[in-house]
Amino acid sequence: MDKLQVFEEKQGYLKQGLNAKDLAKSFGSNASYLSKVVNTFKEKNFTSYINDLRIDFVVTKLKEDRIFRKYTVKAIAQDIGFNNAEAFAKAFYKKTGIYPSYFIKELEKR
C-alpha cells in the first residue's frame, strides 16, 4: 500500500504502456499480489484503478490549464498514458458520464 501511495503521488500512472506485471516488478512483487491488493483495497481491478487515476488527473488539469484544453483529444490521451483517443474517451465517459470533448467545450464556455 505504501508503494502504491508513492506511485500515485509521483503520478506513475501517467506512464504509457503501464501494466501490472512491470509495476509489480518495480515494487519487488508479482502481478498476482499487486492485483489482489488493488482489488481488495481500491475495490477495482488494475485497469480500472489506473484509468480512474488518469481521469481524475486529467479532469483537474483541464480545469486548471487553459493551454492543455486546446490539445486534441488524441494528444491529451497520449499525454496521460492512454494508447489511443478511443480508450481515453471510453474511460472518461465511464468515470464522468460525459465525453472529454463535451467536458472541454463546457469548460471553454466559462
Side-chain angles (χ1 to χ4, degrees), residues 51-60 62-63 88-104 107:
N51 286 349
D52 285 354
L53 288 170
R54 289 173 174 170
I55 300 307
D56 289 342
F57 170 84
V58 81
V59 165
T60 301
L62 286 167
K63 286 178 180 176
F88 166 57
K90 270 187 191 173
F92 194 96
Y93 185 84
K94 184 179 176 189
K95 176 101 169 122
T96 65
I98 58 174
Y99 287 102
S101 53
Y102 179 78
F103 181 74
I104 293 166
L107 287 174

Side-chain angles (χ1 to χ4, degrees), residues 58 62 68-69 71-80 88 104:
V58 81
L62 286 167
F68 192 63
R69 277 185 236 152
Y71 290 14
T72 64
V73 171
K74 182 179 178 181
I76 293 169
Q78 290 176 332
D79 199 53
I80 63 168
F88 166 57
I104 293 166

